[in-house]
Amino acid sequence: SLSLFKLKPQLVVGVALRPMPKAAPPSPPAAPPVANTEEGEEIEAQSPPVPPLSDTDYEACRRLYEDIFTGSDSMEMKEKSRQERKDQAQENVNSLTYGELDMNIMHQLLNKVKKNYGPFYSKKGTFLDLGSGAGKVCVAAGLLHPFEKVVGIETLESLHGTATAANDKYKEIQLPEGAVKPEIEFIRGDFAADFESKLEPLAPDVILCTAVATCYGEAELNAMASLARKMPDESVLITFTQRLPESMVIDLDRHPAQRRAIATKKSLAKRGTEPSTAEVVVEPPPNDPFGWTLMSSELMQMPWGLATCFIYKKIIIPKLRPEPPKTDEPPLES
């Protein structure tokens, strides 16, 4: 996690990015199944998706956020984290560099995700921040969207202590009648070293995860990938600077020239084949059927400088998923 400066995030205009493969548009959510009920019973209807937050509502949330973090000076937090790293002989551990997203960036990202890569429902699913620092991302997430739960994990005690104090203030604030205030939990731990005990049990419920991966090392990237494998279908992962491994990202047109060259060579290897009549069958690219689709890649101005924001979604692509095993067993009698 890195120091939070008073800069307004903005999209950088005119910066050329490498074109990303187009993803299939996310399919609309299926209608909930209708349960059999006795006469006179009512069926609970599925609540509508939560829409993007309006500017007016955002301003109200921002004021609450500022009240919660009054007195938490960014430079002071950066110095405290640096001193703790020095005391623990971890000054050269780049993955502990302090770098958080601020309220405005979270507002932009959540609105973009809800508008383009949802749906997201009230009180459904967990938000997770890897390396949650002073807790600003988690508090912002709790104020900006009615998640079922918000979780952050941080290894430095100086930052974790600030996050815990902020959570105490968050618990005391009053939201307008009818508004949902999700529970926030801050976990003290190393999300890479403590993955199995502290993160793996959470993964099946995580519908949105943020990872400021700019300074991640191999261990942190591996933990992020392990978490992503265990997150549910239709969930979203947002990373900065560093991506998921290529093997986990679905690309239905990966390396087309290379695949065609291999297919051509294979076809011409048959004895007696004329190049003009050779039948070239190009194999589809290898893809993880439970992999992620890159939905968006854009350069953003962050508190510490420019960084590329990658948004992934675990979209179900039926032709990649294996067929469920068939059984010859007769149906159970009712």
Side-chain angles (χ1 to χ4, degrees):
S1 314
L2 232 256
S3 177
L4 186 64
F5 301 102
K6 300 292 184 179
L7 292 180
K8 277 193 172 180
Q10 59 184 20
L11 296 186
V12 179
V13 179
V15 179
L17 296 178
R18 187 174 72 83
M20 295 296 170
K22 291 184 178 180
S27 54
V34 178
N36 294 326
T37 60
E38 299 294 332
E39 185 176 353
E41 289 185 359
E42 293 184 0
I43 301 175
E44 184 179 354
Q46 170 72 62
S47 59
V50 178
L53 196 68
S54 70
D55 290 341
T56 301
D57 288 340
Y58 166 67
E59 185 58 29
C61 292
R62 187 193 63 77
R63 288 194 294 269
L64 292 173
Y65 174 89
E66 295 292 342
D67 289 342
I68 289 171
F69 286 102
T70 297
S72 297
D73 180 74
S74 301
M75 296 305 294
E76 181 182 355
M77 290 311 306
K78 182 177 180 179
E79 184 55 38
K80 282 184 178 181
S81 65
R82 182 186 288 116
Q83 185 61 49
E84 183 175 348
R85 291 165 60 193
K86 182 178 180 180
D87 294 343
Q88 297 179 359
Q90 293 180 319
E91 289 178 281
N92 297 323
V93 181
N94 289 334
S95 61
L96 297 179
T97 304
Y98 179 59
E100 289 184 335
L101 313 180
D102 63 20
M103 183 74 164
N104 195 19
I105 294 175
M106 284 299 296
H107 174 51
Q108 292 182 48
L109 291 175
L110 284 173
N111 269 6
K112 180 174 182 175
V113 166
K114 284 189 277 190
K115 180 180 179 181
N116 300 322
Y117 313 128
F120 286 86
Y121 296 95
S122 179
K123 295 184 284 187
K124 300 289 185 183
T126 296
F127 172 90
L128 174 64
D129 184 32
L130 297 180
S132 49
K136 295 184 177 182
V137 167
C138 288
V139 170
L143 293 171
L144 294 171
H145 180 82
F147 292 99
E148 182 178 0
K149 188 175 183 180
V150 173
V151 179
I153 181 167
E154 173 58 49
T155 189
L156 293 179
E157 175 58 37
S158 56
L159 300 180
H160 176 73
T162 300
T164 301
N167 196 16
D168 291 339
K169 293 182 180 180
Y170 170 83
K171 292 174 182 177
E172 295 173 359
I173 63 172
Q174 296 296 316
L175 297 183
E177 184 177 354
V180 175
K181 184 170 69 170
E183 173 195 355
I184 296 180
E185 178 185 6
F186 288 113
I187 300 171
R188 171 83 192 283
D190 182 327
F191 72 82
D194 302 329
F195 176 81
E196 290 186 0
S197 62
K198 297 186 176 181
L199 277 194
E200 190 170 16
L202 301 174
D205 297 320
V206 176
I207 60 168
L208 178 58
C209 175
T210 54
V212 180
T214 303
C215 295
Y216 282 7
E218 183 178 359
E220 290 75 29
L221 290 173
N222 287 340
M224 181 177 76
S226 296
L227 174 76
R229 290 187 184 95
K230 297 179 181 298
M231 287 170 62
D233 289 337
E234 305 301 317
S235 57
V236 172
L237 172 66
I238 302 175
T239 76
F240 286 85
T241 307
Q242 301 197 74
R243 316 176 186 214
L244 283 174
E246 185 180 2
S247 61
M248 292 182 64
V249 180
I250 293 174
D251 181 356
L252 299 179
D253 193 33
R254 180 182 281 119
H255 307 311
Q258 181 180 347
R259 288 185 291 113
R260 182 164 188 83
I262 293 172
T264 301
K265 183 177 179 179
K266 182 179 179 180
S267 177
L268 294 177
K270 298 176 183 177
R271 187 182 297 275
T273 301
E274 292 291 334
S276 60
T277 60
E279 182 181 3
V280 178
V281 179
V282 180
E283 296 290 333
N287 275 299
D288 181 352
F290 298 95
W292 292 75
T293 299
L294 180 61
M295 309 301 293
S296 170
S297 171
E298 65 181 350
L299 202 59
M300 296 183 69
Q301 178 67 53
M302 309 301 290
W304 63 89
L306 291 173
T308 305
C309 174
F310 302 100
I311 301 180
Y312 298 92
K313 183 172 182 178
K314 190 177 276 190
I315 294 176
I316 300 173
I317 301 180
K319 68 179 181 179
L320 295 180
R321 293 287 177 100
E323 291 288 334
K326 295 181 180 180
T327 176
D328 296 329
E329 295 180 8
L332 296 176
E333 295 183 3
S334 58

